[in-house]
Amino acid sequence: MARVRNWQIDREMSYWYPENRPKRQFAAVFDTNKCIACQTCTLACKTTWTSGKGQEYMLWNNVETKPYGFYPLGWDVKLLGKLGGQKWQGKRYEGHTIFEAAEAGERVHGWRPDELDYAYPNIGEDDCTGAKLERGDFLTLPHNRWFFYLARICNHCTYPACLASCPRGSIYKRPEDGIVLIDQSRCRGYQECVKACPYKKTFFNPMTGTSEKCIACFPKIEMGESNQCFVNCIGKIRHAGFVSKPENVREDNPIDYLVHVRKVALPLYPQFGLEPNIYYVPPIHVPRPFLHQMFGPGVDHALEVYRGAAEDPELAALLSLFGSTQYIVHRFKRENDTVLGFDEKGDEVVRVPLREPIHIRQAWDSARSIARVNVS
Amino acid sequence: MKNLTALLLAVGVVAGCAKPAAAPPVEVEAARVSVLPSAPGDAAWNAAPAFTAALLAQDMVEPRLLEPSTPTVKVQALTDGTSVAFRLTWADDTKDDLPGTGRFVDACAVQLPAAASANVPAPQMGESGGTVEISYWSAAWQAIVDGRPDTLAAIEPRAAVDHYPFEAASLPEGSKEQKDMALRYAPARALNGAARPASGKSVQDLRAEGPGTITPAAETKSAGKGVRDASGWEVVIVKPVPEGLRGQARSQVAFAIWNGSHKEVGPRKMRSVWIPLALGAGA
């Protein structure tokens, strides 16, 4: 085991390989408050990548309802239970990561899903906490009864458990963009990665005999375009880009701004120790203890900043860019009431007003002396 | 006292005249035959000496097998001078030949050094500069050779699938366009990856220079067949003698057994140490 730096848990930790960060790291921010669980992302991915034989059960992208939704069944609560206490001291995680908690003979502390665990991709869908609404359960923040939607893809982690667990070295992290891939010519289907990945985003294909996973639509990334599940997102909850290490932050990089500068987007279960690179704006209406466990100690700050976004022109500007272009925005700039996005070469690829112009259509058409009706 | 002494002497004389128990063989002896058997039930095996190889849990490199399973494998070997046929017989209560998530298959492997050398490669998959040649047999591959369709329905009989895009009515069945499209959703097949044997084979030839380095040989020249009854498996692997061992009368051989229902796969296996191998008059 090597010692590596994991900024998300604010300390060094043990990992199977030495620290070897890519030239740049593919990353994204998902705003959970905007997701409506329409599953358009799920279908966009399914149609593009997993319509083959042996892939029927696979959802490289899925959206589950928390707290009762899981794909596969119990993916997070099983590991949280196995891992034991996960104590934070301020920003520093004092418990064990899944690499530090590995049992004798194992590289990673994991668990092996059963085949049937994948059979309920929409379990718990729209299920609210609590048995029934009672007096006093009027709308408050956080809600007394609540659920939220969690969209998930591979986190293309800085310290992938799948990569660490593969005894054949069949999994690699691309130096050019940090995307984690399984070499389909080398994999022999041992399923160690399926056992190791805490997010359960590697899948065994019984027809090819190999494990497969989200490839972050790397052919599109190479062309400067966003992934299929991003561009098809109806709720415009996703923004793709590249995240820097904390010491290399660039304020005009959208992902850096959200993750490092304003700290409004947080990693999913940072205590697992993988330094995942899909960041989430937490839901505003969910009790804090649940969010602290899921997104770490930065939740209170993130929500405070997010709830002030309407009066925060820079943040409002950047949030307006979500889902506004098929291209990856490497740099953004606000000019008064407009936000501009630029590609890697510096060319403008999108221009969005912070506030859409409002036109009020009067109910009475005085020119024709007739009342308008709302039919299209 | 005299009587007791006489009795002891008499017992000693009788014991001395009794036929001594045959010492267990200390090596795998490949007897010379003109035609190698290709199936476990071939009568040629009746005369082949048997060696019982003790198996150890692979507990040297992670991920390890911490709970031992199959304790021994019975090994017989025959050679025609260019190839060696091994018959491996081991106990296994369950037939595991269907791959799936969290579901693993029974398997076995034979390992030989790629070349004769005073420095024998490490018994666990060889080492850098010490290549080993491995022939791996899988119960899943055997089932397909024996006629199980290579289809999802054969693996998941209860699966119901609405539609595959490459089976749309607009694509003629069996056309190049259809096959190309299907391969786009199965990159491992498109690449002829390491996870599947050559078509029609239940055995795959591999080379390794240490744990984690196993790579399919350019061509699988070995052949094999496995059968089972309620007690376990009998598998024959016919393996060409590695070029580096041609003409050698002696070498080493090692074996590995995987019990699928014990979640054994890859490095999680039962394996032997190097065992001396006598190749008749030299292969």
Side-chain angles (χ1 to χ4, degrees):
Chain A
M1 286 269 198
R3 296 294 291 172
V4 297
R5 172 77 188 168
N6 180 333
W7 67 263
Q8 294 179 354
I9 59 172
D10 195 26
R11 68 171 171 87
E12 284 197 339
M13 63 167 203
S14 298
Y15 185 64
W16 193 256
Y17 298 107
E19 185 169 345
N20 184 17
R21 289 175 185 265
K23 282 183 207 139
R24 61 181 181 182
Q25 174 62 57
F26 167 76
V29 172
F30 291 7
D31 186 347
T32 60
N33 296 286
K34 294 164 73 178
C35 180
I36 58 170
C38 64
Q39 306 285 1
T40 311
C41 50
T42 306
L43 265 292
C45 176
K46 188 80 193 154
T47 309
T48 309
W49 299 117
T50 60
S51 288
K53 295 185 176 180
Q55 299 178 313
E56 295 80 1
Y57 78 100
M58 283 184 207
L59 299 173
W60 292 356
N61 178 107
N62 78 293
V63 184
E64 58 202 38
T65 303
K66 284 299 181 195
Y68 300 133
F70 312 92
Y71 172 80
L73 198 63
W75 67 269
D76 52 352
V77 292
K78 282 185 185 171
L79 182 58
L80 289 166
K82 277 168 61 71
L83 202 53
Q86 296 135 48
K87 192 178 172 192
W88 291 84
Q89 190 72 44
K91 294 179 185 171
R92 183 183 167 89
Y93 177 56
E94 300 286 359
H96 287 120
T97 68
I98 62 168
F99 305 109
E100 293 160 344
E103 304 100 325
E106 304 287 335
R107 295 184 177 197
V108 175
H109 183 83
W111 65 280
R112 213 183 272 295
D114 183 76
E115 197 171 39
L116 283 178
D117 289 339
Y118 296 91
Y120 323 99
N122 61 346
I123 195 168
E125 189 171 71
D126 291 358
D127 277 356
C128 208
T129 57
K132 58 181 180 180
L133 292 177
E134 296 172 352
R135 279 179 61 186
D137 283 344
F138 50 86
L139 284 182
T140 59
L141 282 177
H143 292 180
N144 294 319
R145 302 284 177 258
W146 57 273
F147 67 81
F148 71 97
Y149 301 123
L150 186 69
R152 300 199 302 119
I153 64 172
C154 167
N155 286 290
H156 297 280
C157 306
T158 304
Y159 302 114
C162 59
L163 188 155
S165 70
C166 180
R168 290 180 48 67
S170 301
I171 303 181
Y172 62 104
K173 190 166 175 64
R174 304 208 314 176
E176 62 268 41
D177 52 22
I179 291 172
V180 178
L181 298 176
I182 301 176
D183 182 343
Q184 293 296 304
S185 68
R186 182 158 180 78
C187 174
R188 285 176 69 81
Y190 297 164
Q191 302 184 46
E192 295 293 340
C193 54
V194 178
K195 184 179 181 186
C197 174
Y199 306 104
K200 295 295 171 246
K201 282 297 178 186
T202 53
F203 303 87
F204 179 67
N205 181 331
M207 290 299 291
T208 60
T210 57
S211 293
E212 300 176 352
K213 66 178 287 298
C214 160
I215 60 172
C217 295
F218 69 81
K220 296 192 76 180
I221 299 291
E222 290 171 0
M223 295 192 298
E225 296 188 20
S226 285
N227 326 48
Q228 288 291 80
C229 56
F230 287 60
V231 297
N232 284 281
C233 177
I234 289 172
K236 299 185 174 186
I237 80 156
R238 305 180 178 212
H239 193 83
F242 298 93
V243 70
S244 309
K245 283 170 67 177
E247 54 269 35
N248 299 334
V249 168
R250 229 186 57 225
E251 285 214 13
D252 60 359
N253 171 353
I255 305 292
D256 280 359
Y257 188 77
L258 294 169
V259 172
H260 290 306
V261 178
R262 305 308 304 276
K263 298 181 173 28
V264 72
L266 304 168
L268 180 62
Y269 293 119
Q271 65 269 41
F272 292 163
L274 286 73
E275 213 183 283
N277 287 302
I278 306 299
Y279 297 86
Y280 292 86
V281 179
I284 60 171
H285 62 286
V286 172
R288 294 297 167 88
F290 188 92
L291 297 180
H292 290 152
Q293 182 180 45
M294 182 169 273
F295 300 111
V299 165
D300 297 332
H301 172 80
L303 288 180
E304 186 186 340
V305 173
Y306 183 72
R307 292 183 70 185
E311 309 303 324
D312 186 336
E314 214 66 17
L315 181 59
L318 182 49
L319 292 175
S320 302
L321 275 185
F322 275 46
S324 63
T325 172
Q326 73 199 74
Y327 300 106
I328 291 180
V329 175
H330 289 255
R331 184 168 68 83
F332 79 104
K333 183 171 76 169
R334 183 176 67 86
E335 287 181 355
N336 299 319
D337 292 336
T338 304
V339 58
L340 287 70
F342 304 90
D343 65 12
E344 193 172 13
K345 290 182 291 186
D347 294 338
E348 180 184 319
V349 292
V350 65
R351 176 181 287 256
V352 180
L354 265 63
R355 295 277 186 278
E356 293 284 347
I358 296 173
H359 174 75
I360 297 175
R361 184 169 175 264
Q362 299 298 332
W364 179 255
D365 184 342
S366 55
R368 297 176 182 80
S369 296
I370 190 169
R372 290 179 172 130
V373 291
N374 288 324
V375 293
S376 56
Chain B
M1 189 62 190
K2 277 186 180 177
N3 287 345
L4 181 60
T5 306
L7 180 63
L8 287 172
L9 281 172
V11 169
V13 169
V14 170
C17 294
K19 190 178 176 185
V26 295
E27 63 183 15
V28 174
E29 182 188 344
R32 196 70 178 245
V33 292
S34 53
V35 179
L36 288 177
S38 59
D42 196 295
W45 293 112
N46 296 338
F51 177 89
T52 299
L55 299 175
L56 311 159
Q58 190 294 108
D59 60 359
M60 299 289 283
V61 296
E62 287 87 359
R64 307 177 191 203
L65 182 68
L66 296 181
E67 287 180 23
S69 57
T70 313
T72 58
V73 56
K74 185 177 110 178
V75 180
Q76 293 168 281
L78 297 166
T79 180
D80 63 357
T82 56
S83 295
V84 187
F86 295 95
R87 184 169 79 166
L88 276 54
T89 308
W90 72 95
D92 184 345
D93 292 341
T94 52
K95 178 184 180 183
D96 304 304
D97 64 357
L98 280 172
T101 297
R103 205 165 56 200
F104 303 96
V105 299
D106 298 330
C108 67
V110 174
Q111 172 184 285
L112 296 170
S117 167
N119 297 318
V120 182
Q124 285 222 142
M125 321 275 291
E127 60 193 290
S128 180
T131 307
V132 294
E133 294 195 4
I134 295 169
S135 293
Y136 171 86
W137 171 91
S138 151
W141 301 345
Q142 185 66 56
I144 292 171
V145 170
D146 291 346
R148 186 176 77 198
D150 188 14
T151 62
L152 182 77
I155 299 174
E156 301 285 357
R158 290 166 295 178
V161 180
D162 297 331
H163 170 71
Y164 296 108
F166 41 87
E167 291 182 356
S170 56
L171 285 170
E173 177 72 24
S175 65
K176 183 176 184 306
E177 292 82 359
Q178 187 199 40
K179 288 177 181 171
D180 287 350
M181 189 175 181
L183 278 182
R184 284 204 291 277
Y185 289 104
R189 287 199 178 205
L191 293 164
N192 280 325
R196 291 173 64 87
S199 178
K201 293 257 188 182
S202 60
V203 170
Q204 187 183 40
D205 284 345
L206 303 139
R207 295 169 67 85
E209 286 195 352
T213 66
I214 198 165
T215 305
E219 181 189 358
T220 287
K221 295 176 180 169
S222 300
K225 180 168 179 59
V227 296
R228 69 166 283 125
D229 59 21
S231 62
W233 287 101
E234 269 190 338
V235 175
V236 167
I237 295 176
V238 182
K239 180 174 179 55
V241 174
E243 280 187 23
L245 294 183
R246 296 272 164 83
Q248 298 292 317
R250 305 191 61 77
S251 185
Q252 295 82 23
V253 63
F255 306 96
I257 301 290
W258 290 262
N259 180 349
S261 53
H262 197 238
K263 307 287 186 199
E264 289 171 21
V265 65
R268 301 181 198 269
K269 66 190 175 194
M270 296 297 293
R271 57 107 187 171
S272 78
V273 296
W274 281 126
I275 299 162
L277 172 66
L279 288 164

